[in-house]
Every structure is written in structure tokens, then in C-alpha cells.
Amino acid sequence: MMTAPYDHPLNLTTQAIMTYGSWALTLLLLVVALRLCLRERTPFYVLIVLAAMFGAFFEPLYDVGFMLLFYTPGLWTHFTAFDIPQPLWTHSGYAVLYAAPAIWITKRINAGTMTPGLLYKWAGVELAMSCSFEMIGINGGAYTYWGPHVLRVLDYPLVIGVLETAQVICFSVAAAELRKRTNGTAPLLGLFVLFPCMFYFANFGAGSPTIVALHVEGASIALITVATLISIGFAAVLVRTAAQLLPAPISVADWRAARGTTVRTAPSSLSSAAVGSKG
């Protein structure tokens, strides 16, 4: 039976790079988000970043499900749950990997310029970001997916990146809908609930076949492979469904008419406003 490598040495250089690098990027992201908030007169974008960082407190649930372990000796950690210590860079990592793409996706959705094709491209960007970040962390000696995962590239289980992509896309579409259908700041605090709900909706929902197969006693490689492929298929369905739920994009003329203003209305309202201004 496989056991978690609790005594595996931690690469302190990789830890320093991931900690200082991700927190520096997070501070930069907060500055960008604040500027967008001031421009559009809403705290929405900053709250997206803070909600993602808050969601990192529930990372231990994910670690148990997908058999992820952060190497312990010398780890800069702030708490431990399920015998898995949590590094300080999880919160900043969530901001960089999940909140940053969500900001730009929701911005385009809110402006009425997001199309299914463009959303699929953003899904590709998120997949590339997840693979790059995690391959550096894994091969740099910061942590490992120690379970019997299959379909690995540079020791990184590709199903993880696909599920994370589905999670970000679903959260972005749901967050944009929350903004469109509410007024004021208080309802936007629901992002702090929405993020972990969408995180586990995708990772533990679409990922459930993989999670169960990883933990089945005596599971064969064939079983885990089939379960992994099913999870990847489920994640693809989630991304496609999210794309189908996008509001119809506005025309180029309407977008130009609304540019520079706070875009809070549905595309149809924008079209009416643009027509009225011409009359």
C-alpha cells in the first residue's frame, strides 16, 4: 500500500521562489484589480482575488482527495489539517492561478464581449498556467501528487490541470452572473461562498471518478485510467456548458458606445441605450 512521503526533503530554493514570487504577483494583481474597481466603481475585482485567497483555507480537503502532499521538513507553514501542512504560498497561488484569469474573463463577460470561442481560449490559457505552475512546484521539489495517478507529464497528473480549468471557467461565469443580477456591495460578498462551492463542484464533482479510483484498495491501473478519462470528459462538459450559458455578445458599435462607462446592464439594454443616444 502506498504511503505519503512525509520525510521527503523540501527544496528550500523552490519554496522561496514560489513564496516570494507568488506573493509579489498577488500584490501586483491586487493593484490591477483595485484600478479596475475604481474605473468601474465596484469592489467586484478585488473581492474575486480575496475570495480565491480565502478559498485556499480549504485546500486540505483537496489534498486528501487527490493525494497531494507538501514536503514537510523546513516548510513555511501556518496550519496543518489531515496531517498535511499547508505552505504560506497556497493563498497567493490561488490568487495567481484562479483569480487572475477570472478577473479578465468576468470583465469581458460583463462588457458583453465574451464569446464561446474566446472562453475556450481562456480555458487553454488556464490549463497552460496550471501545468506550468504545478510542474515547477513538483519537479522543483516543493510537493508531489503521491497517489497512483496516471497520464502524468513531468510527474504532473494532467487530470488535475483539466479539472482546475473547469473550476476557473465555471467560477468566472457564475461570478459574472452574480454581479449582473445584484446591486451594491453586500451581495458581492457571496463570492466568498461561491468560490469554494465552484471549486469543489468541479474538482470533487467532475473529479469524483478519479478520486474514488485513487482510493480504491487494490485498484488497477486500468481502473484508474478509465476513471481519469471520465473525469476529463466531465470537466470538458462543464466548460462547454459554461460557454453555452454566456449572454449573447453585443455588437462592436454597442461596445464602442458603452466603452469608458460602467457596464452593468444586459446586452439588450446596452443596445437600446446606444440606439437612443443616436436618436
Side-chain angles (χ1 to χ4, degrees), residues 73 109 112 140 163 178 219 264 270:
I109 293 175
L163 291 170
L178 175 65
R264 297 275 306 174
L270 282 173

Side-chain angles (χ1 to χ4, degrees), residues 24-238:
L25 290 174
T26 297
L27 292 177
L28 177 60
L29 180 63
L30 282 169
V31 171
V32 172
L34 180 59
R35 292 185 64 181
L36 290 173
C37 288
L38 293 175
R39 183 184 305 168
E40 299 186 14
R41 299 178 182 178
T42 173
F44 179 72
Y45 299 109
V46 167
L47 291 178
I48 280 184
V49 179
L50 297 180
M53 296 175 72
F54 173 73
F57 280 113
F58 313 117
E59 168 73 16
L61 292 170
Y62 180 91
D63 300 338
V64 170
F66 287 99
M67 305 179 78
L68 184 155
L69 179 72
F70 302 103
Y71 296 138
T72 304
L75 182 67
W76 298 335
T77 182
H78 52 320
F79 76 100
T80 298
F82 304 113
D83 294 324
I84 302 174
Q86 299 298 302
L88 296 175
W89 55 261
T90 52
H91 301 280
S92 52
Y94 270 49
V96 173
L97 282 181
Y98 308 142
I103 284 176
W104 298 111
I105 294 172
T106 55
K107 187 176 186 301
R108 293 295 295 266
I109 293 175
N110 190 60
T113 58
M114 179 62 74
T115 64
L118 184 56
L119 189 68
Y120 294 143
K121 291 179 181 179
W122 271 107
V125 170
E126 172 60 29
L127 179 60
M129 289 176 60
S130 295
C131 290
S132 299
F133 186 93
E134 297 227 47
M135 286 178 183
I136 291 173
I138 292 170
N139 293 279
Y143 63 94
T144 185
Y145 288 90
W146 61 274
H149 285 276
V150 296
L151 304 181
R152 293 179 184 252
V153 174
L154 296 179
D155 208 31
Y156 174 56
L158 290 180
V159 65
I160 301 298
V162 175
L163 291 170
E164 288 180 344
T165 298
Q167 160 226 319
V168 171
I169 296 300
C170 290
F171 170 69
S172 299
V173 173
E177 282 296 309
L178 175 65
R179 180 184 178 184
K180 184 177 73 173
R181 296 174 183 275
T182 59
N183 292 305
T185 299
L188 295 180
L189 296 177
L191 290 168
F192 286 86
V193 179
L194 187 62
F195 180 86
C197 285
M198 299 308 294
F199 185 97
Y200 289 101
F201 166 74
N203 284 296
F204 275 27
S208 58
T210 299
I211 293 173
V212 172
L214 291 173
H215 293 271
V216 168
E217 186 174 352
S220 65
I221 295 299
L223 173 64
I224 297 172
T225 300
V226 171
T228 298
L229 292 174
I230 292 174
S231 289
I232 291 174
F234 282 177
V237 169
L238 285 180

